[in-house]
């Protein structure tokens, strides 16, 4: 292994010990609805295949980028080197508006899981790690902004502009985001653009992460 570049040391994240504000009646109804949807997708996918996705084996020329917490942010294969910085995402992603076949997909160091129910119409739920990204442009040459998010394009690449419900399960704060990009996300289920992290009760930094659940219907 050759270290090409070292990043900036960042402080270890501490989960807030502050008391979590009680949910409003409307928020409680929304949470109960999500719990019911969770039960439904668990039932609908329990007999479907489970696929575990491993990272590529080390090989000469493979490049790994780590995030500020020391977890894998991106993996660039030798054949992708020429386009790695600008086009790595599109090389791995499914066609926009599609997702893997119904089933459960697991990967990464944080027990990330994406469940897919249905083919032409259905429901997707991802649980695991939520992260943030700082790109300027999204998958549609769009300028990214607060409220945008990216999914793991190799498993779940919904249509551009799809409304996605994201819940921070550390504090139970939820908000709606819009799919504006896709990423490789080797150790996350959802990627929030910059200050959008504040919508789920976080103080934004370039290395913030949280326990996440996302869902949408298609």
């Amino acid at each position: 292994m050759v270290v090409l570049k070292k990043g900036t040391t960042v402080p270890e994240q501490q989960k807030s010990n502050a008391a979590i504000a009680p949910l409003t009646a409307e928020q409680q109804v929304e949470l109960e609805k999500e719990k019911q949807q969770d039960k439904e997708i668990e039932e609908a996918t329990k007999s479907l295949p489970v696929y575990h996705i491993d990272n590529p084996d080390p090989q000469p020329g493979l490049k790994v980028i780590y995030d500020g917490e020391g977890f894998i942010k991106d993996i660039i294969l030798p054949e992708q080197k020429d386009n790695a910085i600008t086009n790595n995402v599109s090389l791995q992603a499914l066609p926009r508006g599609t997702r893997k076949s119904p089933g459960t997909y697991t990967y990464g160091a944080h027990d990330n899981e994406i469940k897919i129910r249905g083919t032409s119409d259905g429901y997707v739920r991802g649980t695991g790690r939520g992260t943030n990204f700082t790109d300027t442009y999204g998958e549609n040459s769009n300028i990214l902004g607060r409220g945008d998010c990216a999914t793991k394009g190799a498993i779940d690449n919904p249509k551009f502009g799809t409304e996605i419900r994201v819940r921070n399960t550390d504090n139970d704060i939820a908000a709606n985001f819009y799919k504006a990009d896709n990423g490789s996300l080797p150790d996350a289920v959802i990627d929030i653009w910059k200050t959008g992290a504040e919508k789920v009760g976080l103080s934004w930094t370039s290395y913030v992460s949280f326990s996440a659940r996302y869902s949408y219907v298609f």
Side-chain angles (χ1 to χ4, degrees):
M1 181 180 74
V2 177
V3 177
L4 301 178
K5 182 181 178 181
K6 291 186 178 181
T8 303
T9 301
V10 298
E12 182 178 351
Q13 287 202 72
Q14 300 286 334
K15 291 191 184 298
S16 174
N17 292 321
I20 297 173
L23 299 179
T24 65
E26 183 180 0
Q27 290 172 330
Q28 188 64 47
V29 168
E30 181 66 30
L31 178 59
E32 292 304 319
K33 179 181 176 182
E34 286 183 18
K35 288 180 178 179
Q36 181 59 37
Q37 289 173 327
D38 285 348
K39 291 179 182 178
E40 291 172 1
I41 198 168
E42 289 289 347
E43 182 66 26
T45 58
K46 68 180 183 181
S47 61
L48 295 176
V50 177
Y51 306 93
H52 181 71
I53 301 171
D54 291 315
N55 291 327
D57 291 331
Q59 57 181 291
L62 182 143
K63 183 177 180 180
V64 180
I65 299 172
Y66 295 88
D67 63 24
E69 296 180 280
F71 299 108
I72 295 176
K73 183 179 180 66
D74 209 350
I75 299 172
I76 300 166
L77 299 174
E79 61 267 26
Q80 297 173 342
K81 270 188 172 181
D82 292 340
N83 297 315
I85 300 302
T86 59
N87 204 34
N88 188 35
V89 168
S90 63
L91 286 170
Q92 298 184 33
L94 297 167
R96 201 182 305 167
T98 67
R99 57 207 56 78
K100 289 283 194 181
S101 59
T104 299
Y105 298 82
T106 65
Y107 60 93
H110 286 80
D111 298 322
N112 302 290
E113 175 187 86
I114 297 176
K115 286 183 175 290
I116 300 171
R117 182 192 73 190
T119 50
S120 58
D121 63 329
Y123 180 72
V124 175
R125 187 201 68 188
T127 55
R129 185 171 179 239
T131 51
N132 82 99
F133 68 114
T134 60
D135 296 358
T136 301
Y137 297 100
E139 64 184 9
N140 206 32
S141 299
N142 51 297
I143 297 176
L144 293 162
R146 179 184 169 93
D148 289 339
C149 69
T151 59
K152 184 176 177 65
I155 295 177
D156 176 33
N157 194 9
K159 293 178 181 178
F160 179 80
T162 296
E163 186 176 71
I164 294 177
R165 186 71 167 171
V166 178
R167 184 174 294 276
N168 178 350
T169 58
D170 293 327
N171 59 19
D172 231 0
I173 296 176
N176 292 330
F177 290 82
Y178 293 91
K179 194 261 190 172
D181 206 353
N182 68 82
S184 57
L185 278 59
D187 194 20
V189 293
I190 196 75
D191 217 6
I192 305 300
W193 186 85
K194 283 190 177 181
T195 55
E198 295 168 355
K199 288 167 65 71
V200 288
L202 300 170
S203 297
W204 178 76
T205 66
S206 60
Y207 52 85
V208 69
S209 68
F210 61 101
S211 301
R213 178 167 69 239
Y214 85 91
S215 59
Y216 70 95
V217 295
F218 62 90

